[in-house]
Amino acid sequence: MEKQVEKELELERGFTLEAMIVRIMKAWKTENHNNLTAEVIRQVNLFKPAPSQIKEAIERLIEKEYLERDAANRSQYKYIP
């Protein structure tokens, strides 16, 4: 039972991070990895996300085609409208 709650909580946190990243990138259009991670950490009030959680959320958003990496600078992300 406790494992199930933990799994659901982790899933909800992932959705929260994805939504926050999309909201930030929609406003900023382009940003580098470090600044984006810092802004997500600053804005999250519900929990303290680890940088690895944020990186995983960014990777999921790239797969879902909400974000893309800049061809010239791999640490730079672009929002895909």
Side-chain angles (χ1 to χ4, degrees):
M1 181 77 170
E2 196 172 301
K3 271 273 201 232
Q4 182 66 23
V5 171
E6 228 174 270
K7 192 174 186 178
E8 288 177 22
L9 184 61
E10 190 65 33
L11 189 62
E12 288 295 320
R13 287 179 175 181
F15 291 144
T16 300
L17 289 174
E18 287 180 23
M20 185 166 294
I21 292 166
V22 168
R23 190 180 74 229
I24 292 167
M25 290 302 292
K26 194 172 186 178
W28 292 359
K29 306 296 184 219
T30 182
E31 192 55 66
N32 72 41
H33 179 80
N34 293 336
N35 289 346
L36 180 57
T37 301
E39 185 63 18
V40 170
I41 290 171
R42 189 182 72 73
Q43 287 190 19
V44 173
N45 297 326
L46 302 173
F47 61 99
K48 178 93 166 102
S52 61
Q53 289 175 303
I54 297 170
K55 186 175 181 179
E56 289 170 9
I58 290 170
E59 292 301 324
R60 286 191 302 270
L61 290 170
I62 290 171
E63 288 175 15
K64 294 177 183 179
E65 297 182 353
Y66 284 92
L67 302 177
E68 67 182 359
R69 282 194 173 87
D70 185 60
N73 184 356
R74 302 285 294 161
S75 68
Q76 189 83 11
Y77 302 113
K78 293 180 183 178
Y79 175 72
I80 301 172

